[in-house]
Amino acid sequence: MGSRWLWRLVALPGVAWLSVFFLCAFYAVLAVAFGNQDTLSQPVPHWNPLDWNVGYVLDMLDNFFSGGPFWTVSLRTVEFVAIAVALSLLIGYPVAYFTARHAGSWKGAILLALILPLWINYLMRMLAWINLLAPDGIGSDVLHSLGIERLFLSIGLLDEPGGWLNGQPITVVLALLYGYLPFFILPLFVAIDRIDSRQIDAARDLGASPLSAFLRVTLPLSVPGILAGSVLIALPMFGDYYTADLVSASTQTNMIGNQIDEFMRQGSEKVTGAALTLLLSAFLLVLMSYYLRTTRRAGTTAQTT
Amino acid sequence: MSRLRNPWGRPRFLALITAGYILWSVVPVLLAIAFAFNNGRSRTTWQGFSFRWFTGETGSVLHDPALRDALGHTLLLAVICVAVATPLGVALALGLQRWRGRLSGSVNTLMLLPLVTPEIVMGIALLLLFLQVFGGIGLGTDAQAIGQITFTLSYVVVIVRGRLVSIGPEFEEAAADLGAPRRDQFFRVLLPLLAPAIVASAAVAFATSIDDFVVTQYLSSDASTTTVSMLLYSSARGAPTPALNAIATVNLAITLLTLVFAYLVYRRFAGRDEATAVAALEV
């Protein structure tokens, strides 16, 4: 047996596993979404693509484009994710930039602090804020005494004093920001850290002011890191249902993930749920393929150097 | 004057933002941990220090059946996940690294896909698979373990392949030149060099399994398949006592100890820089 076949054989179990539990599983979503349901609204999947029934997916698209409930939820989701990603950039860029360029001997310690939240259970981090933002929680007290509560009440971002956890969109957005920001900072840090400082020195030697060197050298070179980080956090946010459930517990702040979760797990409209999952996946595929392309390119350059 | 200022000086406001961010990201969790030790039923008012929510007679992690079982089930899933995903992933990494063919690119993409697929999509895909195709397996512990293995597999492959790339083919070639049979090249040269990466990937798989929520929840059946993450989700808003903080703290301690152990092993045997790279591996 030649080594050609040996290594394929070694890879085989893993490939088989992924084929069954990833590819076939995804095909099950297609078969259910393009299938039918029986009188008890249990799914009757159509495994043969020639028998596919596009009715449920078309209904969903119709509901979406005629401005039905799915349109409202999708729009809200895009809005929440966009604001959370923008805020991530606003806070994350200075942090990543400082750590990569100016942290000096503190760099290792700061990096450790940036990595730490990635390994704290997401739900524990949400639990922490639920404790803090409860009406008698420490966080509510602090926000009250700093005048932030009154400010938010006066600009309409908060409905009632101490009501942070009662269906407030602002709380959901800030919880998403808190939950996913660590995942944004790290790839951005790597991108900024990789920038050759001689390029910035060259810009300065040629007479660029620090600001101009930043705007014309550092910032353009960190764009791939910004994009990678944004995609990396936008993908899970689009499928998130637990954050809104935990910090708002109101259908008024439902995201697309909550809608799918209600169809699939809580209720029993699995066919509609599968159709919505399919449409969400199609939308996210654009983001996913972008991310895969850039990471693979990064992987190959890492291998050649 | 400003032209003469050291361009690498530390801008204070950047340091301030960074310090503020770190405090904001860590302090809420530290407070949640602190309240796990509260000697009272409140999760918001401090009533003195105690271990009652960890080991007390009633309602503690150790003695409340719901909490104890959730912790036990979480660990059971993590052990199964590591036991299957590690060998499967190591083999896939080795195979992919040396497989030069038309299909290897597609397999590589297939291996990376679970890392970028939103968990809810994967949870639903597996849920429908187990309901519609593998009715014999059904939902519950087996399905949960299979689901976790499916995406932790990719982490194992990524870590082990990284190490394979940094080892390079030289050691095996040297062994071959010295007349070692192929079996010895693998078992006596490559495998020992790969060992730290295998330990690190097993630890990452363990920690990922422990902290997984969506896939585990979607594939759960009854109360006996509840994990710590699921318990946190279902009781965070209504939990009557700090016992929930206590179980979250135990969960966190297990995750961090596992990773610190793996980091030390990796650093000891594979060098410091690479260990930092592994530690930085997100998720």
Side-chain angles (χ1 to χ4, degrees), chain B residues 76-107:
Chain B
L76 172 73
L77 285 175
V79 169
I80 302 174
C81 185
V82 169
V84 181
T86 315
L88 211 57
V90 171
L92 183 56
L94 281 166
L96 269 176
Q97 184 66 18
R98 277 130 199 250
W99 173 3
R100 299 267 171 263
R102 256 184 311 152
L103 263 177
S104 75
S106 319
V107 172

Side-chain angles (χ1 to χ4, degrees), chain A residues 91-291:
Chain A
I91 301 173
Y93 196 92
V95 172
Y97 180 81
F98 177 80
T99 312
R101 292 243 154 259
H102 298 288
S105 56
W106 284 83
K107 195 167 174 177
I110 295 178
L111 205 52
L112 191 68
L114 297 183
I115 292 169
L116 189 64
L118 300 178
W119 291 107
I120 303 174
N121 192 316
Y122 189 95
L123 296 144
M124 184 188 192
R125 300 171 67 219
M126 291 299 131
L127 172 73
W129 277 103
I130 292 169
N131 290 347
L132 288 176
L133 293 178
D136 60 345
I138 300 169
S140 293
D141 289 350
V142 171
L143 289 168
H144 179 79
S145 45
L146 288 179
I148 294 174
E149 183 185 73
R150 196 187 316 167
L151 175 75
F152 276 45
L153 282 167
S154 65
I155 53 177
L157 282 175
L158 183 67
D159 287 340
E160 47 178 341
W164 295 100
L165 297 175
N166 296 335
Q168 306 300 311
I170 183 74
T171 313
V172 178
V173 171
L174 292 178
L176 287 172
L177 174 71
Y178 184 79
Y180 293 102
L181 183 48
F183 297 91
F184 176 84
I185 291 182
L186 223 56
L188 188 56
F189 161 79
V190 172
I192 298 175
D193 200 45
R194 270 200 203 133
I195 296 173
D196 191 340
S197 64
R198 285 174 303 183
Q199 287 182 295
I200 301 158
D201 290 339
R204 298 277 291 131
D205 286 347
L206 293 169
S209 69
L211 182 68
S212 160
F214 172 77
L215 289 177
R216 295 170 73 175
V217 180
T218 312
L219 195 58
L221 286 174
S222 41
V223 165
I226 294 174
L227 291 177
S230 304
V231 171
L232 197 68
I233 60 171
L235 280 171
M237 278 194 215
F238 275 113
D240 187 306
Y241 60 94
Y242 32 95
T243 306
D245 265 354
L246 284 171
V247 302
S248 150
S250 153
T251 50
Q252 293 303 305
T253 55
N254 258 6
M255 295 174 69
I256 199 88
N258 297 92
Q259 193 70 67
I260 294 178
D261 189 50
E262 277 165 25
F263 284 136
M264 292 307 290
R265 207 171 46 84
Q266 303 167 12
S268 57
E269 293 173 70
K270 293 210 163 49
V271 183
T272 315
L276 194 56
T277 308
L278 199 61
L279 291 177
L280 175 70
S281 312
F283 169 68
L284 296 181
L285 206 62
V286 184
L287 293 179
M288 280 161 62
S289 52
Y290 168 80
Y291 184 74

